[in-house]
Amino acid sequence: VVVKVNWERRFDHMQQHSGQHLITAIAQAECDLITECWHLGEKVSYIQMASAKITEDQVACIEARVNACILDQLAVTVIVSDDARHDPRIRKAQKGLPEDMTGPVRVVEMQGIEQNLCCGTHVSNLGQLQGIKLLHTETKKGSTLLYFVAGNRMLDTYGGLYKRERTMSKLLSGLHPEQHAEMVESMRKDVTKMMKVNKTVSLEL
């Protein structure tokens, strides 16, 4: 049997997973926001936070801090221990260990930021994340979903957005991207008016 790793897919998942760990750690440290779970999407991922609302200022704060950590190229290391309760290398992660747990434990550590029990794949240095963009939030049953893209997904997302902006500008006679929404809203109102006029004329006929 010959097995070949799809490295492009693997590295993408490493970037998103490490990005989630970093966002989770910074969100808790800076804004006291606790992660409940997260979802690795095909194009966009989200983290579910135990908060009914996350403000724009909080999102901006978290985004600035995580990208500063990426710029610092902090190390990401994996620790495997057979005696996690007494291993001096493991500090924060010990809090999550069940009382009756036995056997080896795998901990992922981001230098100076966090230690977390985890069996997933990660980058070896935060610089490999390239960057993280927090996109938007949605409320869900008392929690908030924080959507994000990291690494190559961030580049692909914003590359696609730029191409669509260029296409829209051409369709709207060279209109600047900042004016797209205003123009589309104006066109929508014009279409609504025309539909009402057409309906009135049809009834008269």
Side-chain angles (χ1 to χ4, degrees):
V1 177
V2 177
V3 178
K4 184 178 181 180
V5 173
N6 182 337
W7 178 248
E8 183 177 351
R9 183 172 184 270
R10 167 66 67 83
F11 188 63
D12 170 55
H13 287 187
M14 290 162 60
Q15 287 185 317
Q16 309 318 308
H17 194 178
S18 295
Q20 175 268 311
H21 272 238
L22 180 58
I23 295 167
T24 288
I26 296 302
Q28 182 171 352
E30 299 289 336
C31 304
D32 199 28
L33 295 169
I34 306 300
T35 291
E36 296 176 322
C37 62
W38 83 292
H39 171 71
L40 173 60
E42 185 177 347
K43 292 185 177 181
V44 176
S45 302
Y46 67 75
I47 301 170
Q48 182 171 313
M49 301 284 190
S51 176
K53 183 180 180 180
I54 299 177
T55 67
E56 291 185 6
D57 286 344
Q58 287 176 315
V59 172
C61 173
I62 295 167
E63 181 175 279
R65 185 76 179 88
V66 297
N67 282 292
C69 292
I70 292 170
L71 188 62
D72 287 341
Q73 301 183 55
L74 301 175
V76 180
T77 56
V78 173
I79 302 169
V80 178
S81 176
D82 292 320
D83 186 17
R85 294 192 183 282
H86 305 96
D87 193 328
R89 299 174 300 169
I90 299 175
R91 304 177 305 281
K92 297 180 183 179
Q94 290 176 346
K95 297 179 181 178
L97 295 175
E99 291 297 329
D100 59 348
M101 192 221 73
T102 60
V105 167
R106 186 177 189 269
V107 173
V108 173
E109 179 177 37
M110 291 185 172
Q111 181 186 346
I113 300 174
E114 73 143 13
Q115 280 191 343
N116 218 317
L117 299 168
C118 185
C119 59
T121 56
H122 290 272
V123 298
S124 60
N125 185 295
L126 290 184
Q128 294 172 348
L129 293 181
Q130 300 170 276
I132 290 175
K133 180 62 183 175
L134 304 184
L135 301 173
H136 66 282
T137 61
E138 291 180 1
T139 56
K140 180 183 178 182
K141 298 179 180 179
S143 299
T144 300
L145 308 182
L146 176 59
Y147 288 81
F148 74 95
V149 285
N152 290 326
R153 287 194 189 193
M154 183 183 68
L155 299 178
D156 292 342
T157 297
Y158 279 85
L161 288 173
Y162 182 72
K163 287 180 181 179
R164 287 191 289 276
E165 277 193 349
R166 294 270 295 170
T167 300
M168 283 293 293
S169 291
K170 290 179 181 179
L171 292 172
L172 297 173
S173 303
L175 201 66
H176 200 273
E178 279 76 7
Q179 300 171 294
H180 287 176
E182 183 181 349
M183 174 60 75
V184 171
E185 176 62 15
S186 176
M187 294 169 66
R188 186 190 68 80
K189 290 180 179 179
D190 289 343
V191 169
T192 300
K193 289 180 182 178
M194 291 176 60
M195 290 176 66
K196 289 181 178 179
V197 170
N198 287 341
K199 184 177 181 180
T200 300
V201 172
S202 296
L203 291 173
E204 291 176 351
L205 294 175

